[in-house]
Amino acid sequence: MTVPISILFYRGDDGRYARQVSRVWSRGTTWLLAMICGLRYRVEGSENIPNRPAFLACKHQSAFETFVMNIIVPDLCIAYKSELNSVPIFGWFLRHSKMMSVNRNGGASALRNMMAQARAESNKGRYVLIFPEGTRVAVGEYGNAHVGIVAMVRDLKLPVVPISLNSGLYWPRKSFLRYPGEIIIRFMPVIEYVDKFGKKDLEDLIKIIGYESCRLCSIEQH
């Protein structure tokens, strides 16, 4: 038992072992959700994931997608709010897994730091998971565009894969309740040409993942 624990504190692995442990935890959590709550998930459109680094732009309705994506996509770099670094044990794993910490109140310096982290990790062949609305939103609702993403996409010139889901139906925002059912995570066709990606493109991206997520939640859009 001592050897696996000591490996986690080894700094020469660049977070690889900590990420492996987090994936084991994620698989265990999804198994428990299926066995205890009757909550399962299904992935659609995985053929739309490029075989090279890309931004995965996901709708954010619950905590579910923050860990299940760790199972679906190998060696994922997840953007998360820096406040989570102070959470016992969980924050330690985030820091040592080389995920992308985002200070939402840090201004221009925080944006530069976020871009540097994304560039460094994507250069290692990792996908970068981003939430274009910046935070969780309730089913049927749309959040505000997180404009720092525009600069990051144009700077790194990585393709963008929109991702829609219906996790909020079964794991509601700000609720401890979990409901049985099947969460659908849908990868949509990749956006390849991002050299001129701008605010309008980001707003369209949010509309795309929002509209498709509403369809998955059986909510009519007008």
Side-chain angles (χ1 to χ4, degrees), residues 37-83:
C37 304
L39 179 57
R40 294 172 170 80
Y41 74 94
R42 172 162 52 97
V43 178
E44 297 180 352
S46 57
E47 68 276 6
N48 290 318
I49 304 174
N51 58 1
R52 58 191 175 94
F55 287 112
L56 307 181
C58 188
K59 186 71 176 178
H60 198 8
Q61 292 181 346
S62 77
F64 184 81
E65 51 268 16
T66 61
F67 64 83
V68 77
M69 290 293 293
N70 199 31
I71 303 172
I72 299 168
V73 182
D75 208 15
L76 187 65
C77 177
I78 304 173
Y80 70 95
K81 58 184 179 182
S82 58
E83 293 92 329

Short mmCIF file of all heavy atoms in Angstrom, two decimals, residues 37-83:
data_model
loop_
_atom_site.label_atom_id
_atom_site.label_comp_id
_atom_site.label_asym_id
_atom_site.label_seq_id
_atom_site.Cartn_x
_atom_site.Cartn_y
_atom_site.Cartn_z
N CYS A 37 -28.30 4.28 -7.42
CA CYS A 37 -29.31 5.25 -7.86
C CYS A 37 -30.01 4.87 -9.16
O CYS A 37 -30.98 5.51 -9.54
CB CYS A 37 -28.66 6.62 -8.04
SG CYS A 37 -27.83 7.23 -6.56
N GLY A 38 -29.48 3.88 -9.86
CA GLY A 38 -30.04 3.54 -11.16
C GLY A 38 -29.74 4.60 -12.21
O GLY A 38 -30.47 4.73 -13.20
N LEU A 39 -28.66 5.34 -11.99
CA LEU A 39 -28.28 6.42 -12.91
C LEU A 39 -27.11 5.97 -13.78
O LEU A 39 -26.01 5.72 -13.28
CB LEU A 39 -27.91 7.68 -12.13
CG LEU A 39 -27.47 8.89 -12.95
CD1 LEU A 39 -28.54 9.30 -13.95
CD2 LEU A 39 -27.12 10.07 -12.03
N ARG A 40 -27.36 5.85 -15.08
CA ARG A 40 -26.34 5.41 -16.02
C ARG A 40 -26.10 6.49 -17.08
O ARG A 40 -26.80 7.50 -17.09
CB ARG A 40 -26.78 4.09 -16.67
CG ARG A 40 -26.85 2.94 -15.69
CD ARG A 40 -27.47 1.69 -16.28
NE ARG A 40 -27.31 0.55 -15.41
CZ ARG A 40 -28.08 0.29 -14.34
NH1 ARG A 40 -29.09 1.12 -14.05
NH2 ARG A 40 -27.85 -0.77 -13.58
N TYR A 41 -25.15 6.27 -17.93
CA TYR A 41 -24.88 7.25 -18.98
C TYR A 41 -24.57 6.55 -20.29
O TYR A 41 -24.18 5.39 -20.34
CB TYR A 41 -23.74 8.18 -18.58
CG TYR A 41 -22.35 7.57 -18.62
CD1 TYR A 41 -21.55 7.70 -19.75
CD2 TYR A 41 -21.83 6.88 -17.52
CE1 TYR A 41 -20.28 7.15 -19.79
CE2 TYR A 41 -20.56 6.33 -17.55
CZ TYR A 41 -19.79 6.47 -18.68
OH TYR A 41 -18.53 5.91 -18.73
N ARG A 42 -24.79 7.31 -21.36
CA ARG A 42 -24.54 6.81 -22.72
C ARG A 42 -23.84 7.91 -23.51
O ARG A 42 -24.20 9.08 -23.40
CB ARG A 42 -25.85 6.41 -23.39
CG ARG A 42 -25.75 6.07 -24.87
CD ARG A 42 -26.96 5.27 -25.34
NE ARG A 42 -28.22 5.91 -25.00
CZ ARG A 42 -28.91 6.69 -25.84
NH1 ARG A 42 -28.44 6.94 -27.06
NH2 ARG A 42 -30.06 7.21 -25.48
N VAL A 43 -22.84 7.52 -24.30
CA VAL A 43 -22.07 8.47 -25.10
C VAL A 43 -22.49 8.33 -26.56
O VAL A 43 -22.56 7.22 -27.10
CB VAL A 43 -20.56 8.22 -24.96
CG1 VAL A 43 -19.77 9.19 -25.85
CG2 VAL A 43 -20.12 8.35 -23.51
N GLU A 44 -22.75 9.46 -27.19
CA GLU A 44 -23.09 9.49 -28.61
C GLU A 44 -22.10 10.41 -29.35
O GLU A 44 -21.66 11.42 -28.81
CB GLU A 44 -24.50 10.00 -28.82
CG GLU A 44 -25.59 9.13 -28.22
CD GLU A 44 -26.98 9.68 -28.46
OE1 GLU A 44 -27.11 10.81 -28.96
OE2 GLU A 44 -27.95 8.99 -28.12
N GLY A 45 -21.77 10.04 -30.58
CA GLY A 45 -20.92 10.90 -31.41
C GLY A 45 -19.46 10.91 -31.06
O GLY A 45 -18.74 11.85 -31.41
N SER A 46 -18.97 9.86 -30.41
CA SER A 46 -17.55 9.83 -30.03
C SER A 46 -16.64 9.86 -31.25
O SER A 46 -15.46 10.23 -31.15
CB SER A 46 -17.25 8.60 -29.18
OG SER A 46 -17.60 7.41 -29.85
N GLU A 47 -17.19 9.51 -32.43
CA GLU A 47 -16.38 9.57 -33.66
C GLU A 47 -16.03 11.02 -34.03
O GLU A 47 -15.15 11.26 -34.88
CB GLU A 47 -17.12 8.91 -34.82
CG GLU A 47 -18.38 9.63 -35.29
CD GLU A 47 -19.61 9.29 -34.49
OE1 GLU A 47 -19.49 8.56 -33.47
OE2 GLU A 47 -20.71 9.73 -34.88
N ASN A 48 -16.70 11.99 -33.40
CA ASN A 48 -16.40 13.40 -33.66
C ASN A 48 -15.21 13.93 -32.86
O ASN A 48 -14.81 15.08 -33.05
CB ASN A 48 -17.64 14.25 -33.35
CG ASN A 48 -18.75 14.04 -34.35
OD1 ASN A 48 -18.51 13.97 -35.55
ND2 ASN A 48 -19.99 13.93 -33.86
N ILE A 49 -14.66 13.10 -31.98
CA ILE A 49 -13.48 13.52 -31.21
C ILE A 49 -12.25 13.38 -32.10
O ILE A 49 -11.95 12.26 -32.57
CB ILE A 49 -13.31 12.68 -29.94
CG1 ILE A 49 -14.59 12.72 -29.09
CG2 ILE A 49 -12.12 13.17 -29.13
CD1 ILE A 49 -14.54 11.80 -27.88
N PRO A 50 -11.52 14.46 -32.39
CA PRO A 50 -10.33 14.35 -33.25
C PRO A 50 -9.27 13.46 -32.60
O PRO A 50 -9.24 13.31 -31.37
CB PRO A 50 -9.84 15.80 -33.36
CG PRO A 50 -10.98 16.64 -32.90
CD PRO A 50 -11.75 15.82 -31.91
N ASN A 51 -8.40 12.89 -33.41
CA ASN A 51 -7.31 12.08 -32.86
C ASN A 51 -6.09 12.93 -32.57
O ASN A 51 -4.94 12.49 -32.70
CB ASN A 51 -6.96 10.94 -33.82
CG ASN A 51 -6.56 11.45 -35.21
OD1 ASN A 51 -6.53 12.66 -35.45
ND2 ASN A 51 -6.25 10.53 -36.11
N ARG A 52 -6.34 14.17 -32.21
CA ARG A 52 -5.28 15.11 -31.82
C ARG A 52 -5.87 16.09 -30.81
O ARG A 52 -7.09 16.14 -30.62
CB ARG A 52 -4.76 15.88 -33.05
CG ARG A 52 -5.84 16.66 -33.80
CD ARG A 52 -5.32 17.15 -35.13
NE ARG A 52 -6.35 17.81 -35.93
CZ ARG A 52 -6.58 19.11 -35.93
NH1 ARG A 52 -5.83 19.92 -35.16
NH2 ARG A 52 -7.52 19.64 -36.70
N PRO A 53 -5.04 16.86 -30.10
CA PRO A 53 -5.55 17.77 -29.08
C PRO A 53 -6.63 18.71 -29.61
O PRO A 53 -6.58 19.16 -30.75
CB PRO A 53 -4.31 18.56 -28.65
CG PRO A 53 -3.18 17.62 -28.90
CD PRO A 53 -3.56 16.87 -30.15
N ALA A 54 -7.63 18.97 -28.77
CA ALA A 54 -8.74 19.84 -29.15
C ALA A 54 -9.39 20.39 -27.89
O ALA A 54 -9.18 19.87 -26.78
CB ALA A 54 -9.78 19.06 -29.96
N PHE A 55 -10.15 21.47 -28.06
CA PHE A 55 -10.99 21.96 -26.97
C PHE A 55 -12.30 21.19 -27.00
O PHE A 55 -12.94 21.08 -28.05
CB PHE A 55 -11.28 23.45 -27.13
CG PHE A 55 -10.11 24.35 -26.83
CD1 PHE A 55 -9.50 25.08 -27.84
CD2 PHE A 55 -9.64 24.47 -25.54
CE1 PHE A 55 -8.43 25.91 -27.56
CE2 PHE A 55 -8.55 25.29 -25.24
CZ PHE A 55 -7.96 26.01 -26.25
N LEU A 56 -12.71 20.68 -25.87
CA LEU A 56 -14.01 20.03 -25.73
C LEU A 56 -14.90 21.01 -25.00
O LEU A 56 -14.73 21.25 -23.79
CB LEU A 56 -13.88 18.71 -24.97
CG LEU A 56 -12.84 17.71 -25.52
CD1 LEU A 56 -12.84 16.45 -24.67
CD2 LEU A 56 -13.12 17.39 -26.99
N ALA A 57 -15.83 21.65 -25.71
CA ALA A 57 -16.67 22.72 -25.17
C ALA A 57 -18.00 22.12 -24.72
O ALA A 57 -18.88 21.83 -25.54
CB ALA A 57 -16.89 23.80 -26.22
N CYS A 58 -18.15 21.95 -23.42
CA CYS A 58 -19.25 21.17 -22.87
C CYS A 58 -20.29 22.03 -22.15
O CYS A 58 -19.94 22.98 -21.44
CB CYS A 58 -18.67 20.14 -21.89
SG CYS A 58 -19.85 18.94 -21.27
N LYS A 59 -21.55 21.69 -22.34
CA LYS A 59 -22.61 22.24 -21.52
C LYS A 59 -22.38 21.79 -20.09
O LYS A 59 -21.93 20.65 -19.86
CB LYS A 59 -23.97 21.74 -22.02
CG LYS A 59 -25.17 22.37 -21.33
CD LYS A 59 -25.37 23.82 -21.72
CE LYS A 59 -26.63 24.40 -21.09
NZ LYS A 59 -26.81 25.83 -21.43
N HIS A 60 -22.69 22.65 -19.12
CA HIS A 60 -22.41 22.32 -17.71
C HIS A 60 -23.70 22.44 -16.91
O HIS A 60 -24.14 23.54 -16.58
CB HIS A 60 -21.35 23.29 -17.19
CG HIS A 60 -20.66 22.83 -15.94
ND1 HIS A 60 -20.84 21.58 -15.41
CD2 HIS A 60 -19.80 23.48 -15.11
CE1 HIS A 60 -20.10 21.46 -14.31
NE2 HIS A 60 -19.48 22.60 -14.12
N GLN A 61 -24.30 21.28 -16.59
CA GLN A 61 -25.55 21.26 -15.84
C GLN A 61 -25.41 20.65 -14.45
O GLN A 61 -26.26 20.89 -13.58
CB GLN A 61 -26.62 20.48 -16.61
CG GLN A 61 -27.09 21.14 -17.90
CD GLN A 61 -28.17 20.33 -18.60
OE1 GLN A 61 -28.41 19.16 -18.29
NE2 GLN A 61 -28.85 20.96 -19.55
N SER A 62 -24.36 19.87 -14.24
CA SER A 62 -24.20 19.19 -12.95
C SER A 62 -22.74 18.85 -12.72
O SER A 62 -21.88 19.08 -13.58
CB SER A 62 -25.04 17.92 -12.91
OG SER A 62 -24.41 16.89 -13.64
N ALA A 63 -22.47 18.24 -11.56
CA ALA A 63 -21.11 17.79 -11.27
C ALA A 63 -20.76 16.52 -12.06
O ALA A 63 -19.59 16.17 -12.18
CB ALA A 63 -20.95 17.54 -9.77
N PHE A 64 -21.77 15.87 -12.61
CA PHE A 64 -21.55 14.58 -13.27
C PHE A 64 -20.53 14.66 -14.39
O PHE A 64 -19.61 13.84 -14.47
CB PHE A 64 -22.88 14.05 -13.80
CG PHE A 64 -22.79 12.69 -14.42
CD1 PHE A 64 -22.80 11.55 -13.62
CD2 PHE A 64 -22.71 12.53 -15.79
CE1 PHE A 64 -22.72 10.28 -14.19
CE2 PHE A 64 -22.63 11.27 -16.36
CZ PHE A 64 -22.63 10.15 -15.56
N GLU A 65 -20.68 15.66 -15.26
CA GLU A 65 -19.79 15.73 -16.42
C GLU A 65 -18.35 16.06 -16.06
O GLU A 65 -17.44 15.78 -16.82
CB GLU A 65 -20.31 16.74 -17.46
CG GLU A 65 -20.64 18.11 -16.91
CD GLU A 65 -22.09 18.22 -16.48
OE1 GLU A 65 -22.77 17.18 -16.32
OE2 GLU A 65 -22.54 19.37 -16.32
N THR A 66 -18.14 16.63 -14.87
CA THR A 66 -16.77 16.99 -14.49
C THR A 66 -15.92 15.76 -14.21
O THR A 66 -14.70 15.82 -14.32
CB THR A 66 -16.76 17.91 -13.26
OG1 THR A 66 -17.37 17.23 -12.15
CG2 THR A 66 -17.51 19.20 -13.53
N PHE A 67 -16.56 14.65 -13.84
CA PHE A 67 -15.75 13.45 -13.61
C PHE A 67 -15.98 12.35 -14.65
O PHE A 67 -15.07 11.60 -14.96
CB PHE A 67 -15.94 12.90 -12.20
CG PHE A 67 -17.32 12.40 -11.86
CD1 PHE A 67 -17.72 11.12 -12.21
CD2 PHE A 67 -18.21 13.21 -11.17
CE1 PHE A 67 -18.98 10.65 -11.89
CE2 PHE A 67 -19.47 12.75 -10.84
CZ PHE A 67 -19.86 11.46 -11.20
N VAL A 68 -17.18 12.28 -15.27
CA VAL A 68 -17.40 11.22 -16.25
C VAL A 68 -16.60 11.48 -17.52
O VAL A 68 -16.16 10.52 -18.19
CB VAL A 68 -18.90 11.07 -16.58
CG1 VAL A 68 -19.39 12.17 -17.51
CG2 VAL A 68 -19.18 9.70 -17.19
N MET A 69 -16.34 12.75 -17.86
CA MET A 69 -15.53 13.04 -19.04
C MET A 69 -14.11 12.53 -18.87
O MET A 69 -13.42 12.24 -19.83
CB MET A 69 -15.52 14.55 -19.31
CG MET A 69 -16.84 15.11 -19.81
SD MET A 69 -17.28 14.52 -21.45
CE MET A 69 -16.00 15.31 -22.42
N ASN A 70 -13.70 12.40 -17.62
CA ASN A 70 -12.39 11.85 -17.30
C ASN A 70 -12.28 10.38 -17.70
O ASN A 70 -11.19 9.87 -17.93
CB ASN A 70 -12.14 12.01 -15.79
CG ASN A 70 -10.69 11.92 -15.43
OD1 ASN A 70 -9.82 12.28 -16.20
ND2 ASN A 70 -10.43 11.41 -14.24
N ILE A 71 -13.44 9.71 -17.79
CA ILE A 71 -13.47 8.31 -18.22
C ILE A 71 -13.56 8.23 -19.75
O ILE A 71 -12.89 7.42 -20.38
CB ILE A 71 -14.69 7.59 -17.61
CG1 ILE A 71 -14.67 7.68 -16.08
CG2 ILE A 71 -14.75 6.14 -18.07
CD1 ILE A 71 -15.93 7.16 -15.42
N ILE A 72 -14.39 9.08 -20.33
CA ILE A 72 -14.68 9.02 -21.76
C ILE A 72 -13.47 9.40 -22.61
O ILE A 72 -13.17 8.77 -23.63
CB ILE A 72 -15.87 9.95 -22.10
CG1 ILE A 72 -17.12 9.50 -21.34
CG2 ILE A 72 -16.14 9.97 -23.60
CD1 ILE A 72 -18.25 10.52 -21.40
N VAL A 73 -12.77 10.45 -22.18
CA VAL A 73 -11.64 10.97 -22.96
C VAL A 73 -10.34 10.73 -22.19
O VAL A 73 -10.18 11.22 -21.06
CB VAL A 73 -11.82 12.48 -23.23
CG1 VAL A 73 -10.67 13.02 -24.06
CG2 VAL A 73 -13.14 12.74 -23.92
N PRO A 74 -9.41 10.00 -22.76
CA PRO A 74 -8.16 9.70 -22.04
C PRO A 74 -7.28 10.93 -21.87
O PRO A 74 -7.21 11.80 -22.72
CB PRO A 74 -7.48 8.66 -22.95
CG PRO A 74 -8.04 8.94 -24.31
CD PRO A 74 -9.46 9.38 -24.10
N ASP A 75 -6.65 11.00 -20.70
CA ASP A 75 -5.67 12.05 -20.37
C ASP A 75 -6.22 13.45 -20.63
O ASP A 75 -5.66 14.25 -21.37
CB ASP A 75 -4.38 11.84 -21.16
CG ASP A 75 -3.17 12.39 -20.41
OD1 ASP A 75 -3.31 12.66 -19.20
OD2 ASP A 75 -2.12 12.56 -21.03
N LEU A 76 -7.32 13.75 -19.99
CA LEU A 76 -8.03 15.01 -20.17
C LEU A 76 -7.49 16.09 -19.24
O LEU A 76 -7.18 15.83 -18.08
CB LEU A 76 -9.51 14.78 -19.89
CG LEU A 76 -10.49 15.92 -20.17
CD1 LEU A 76 -10.54 16.22 -21.66
CD2 LEU A 76 -11.88 15.53 -19.67
N CYS A 77 -7.39 17.31 -19.75
CA CYS A 77 -7.04 18.48 -18.94
C CYS A 77 -8.32 19.30 -18.75
O CYS A 77 -8.89 19.80 -19.71
CB CYS A 77 -5.97 19.33 -19.64
SG CYS A 77 -5.54 20.84 -18.73
N ILE A 78 -8.78 19.41 -17.50
CA ILE A 78 -10.06 20.04 -17.21
C ILE A 78 -9.86 21.44 -16.64
O ILE A 78 -9.09 21.64 -15.71
CB ILE A 78 -10.85 19.19 -16.20
CG1 ILE A 78 -11.03 17.76 -16.73
CG2 ILE A 78 -12.22 19.82 -15.91
CD1 ILE A 78 -11.65 16.80 -15.72
N ALA A 79 -10.57 22.42 -17.22
CA ALA A 79 -10.56 23.78 -16.67
C ALA A 79 -11.49 23.81 -15.46
O ALA A 79 -12.63 23.37 -15.53
CB ALA A 79 -11.03 24.77 -17.73
N TYR A 80 -11.00 24.34 -14.34
CA TYR A 80 -11.82 24.40 -13.13
C TYR A 80 -11.54 25.70 -12.38
O TYR A 80 -10.47 26.29 -12.51
CB TYR A 80 -11.53 23.19 -12.23
CG TYR A 80 -10.15 23.20 -11.59
CD1 TYR A 80 -9.96 23.71 -10.30
CD2 TYR A 80 -9.03 22.72 -12.26
CE1 TYR A 80 -8.71 23.72 -9.71
CE2 TYR A 80 -7.77 22.73 -11.69
CZ TYR A 80 -7.61 23.23 -10.40
OH TYR A 80 -6.37 23.26 -9.81
N LYS A 81 -12.50 26.14 -11.58
CA LYS A 81 -12.34 27.37 -10.83
C LYS A 81 -11.32 27.17 -9.71
O LYS A 81 -11.31 26.14 -9.03
CB LYS A 81 -13.67 27.85 -10.26
CG LYS A 81 -14.39 26.87 -9.35
CD LYS A 81 -15.74 27.41 -8.94
CE LYS A 81 -16.49 26.42 -8.04
NZ LYS A 81 -17.83 26.93 -7.67
N SER A 82 -10.44 28.16 -9.53
CA SER A 82 -9.32 28.03 -8.61
C SER A 82 -9.75 27.84 -7.16
O SER A 82 -8.97 27.33 -6.35
CB SER A 82 -8.40 29.25 -8.73
OG SER A 82 -9.12 30.44 -8.46
N GLU A 83 -10.98 28.21 -6.83
CA GLU A 83 -11.46 28.04 -5.46
C GLU A 83 -11.46 26.58 -5.02
O GLU A 83 -11.36 26.27 -3.83
CB GLU A 83 -12.90 28.59 -5.31
CG GLU A 83 -13.01 30.10 -5.47
CD GLU A 83 -13.30 30.51 -6.90
OE1 GLU A 83 -12.85 29.82 -7.82
OE2 GLU A 83 -13.98 31.54 -7.08
#
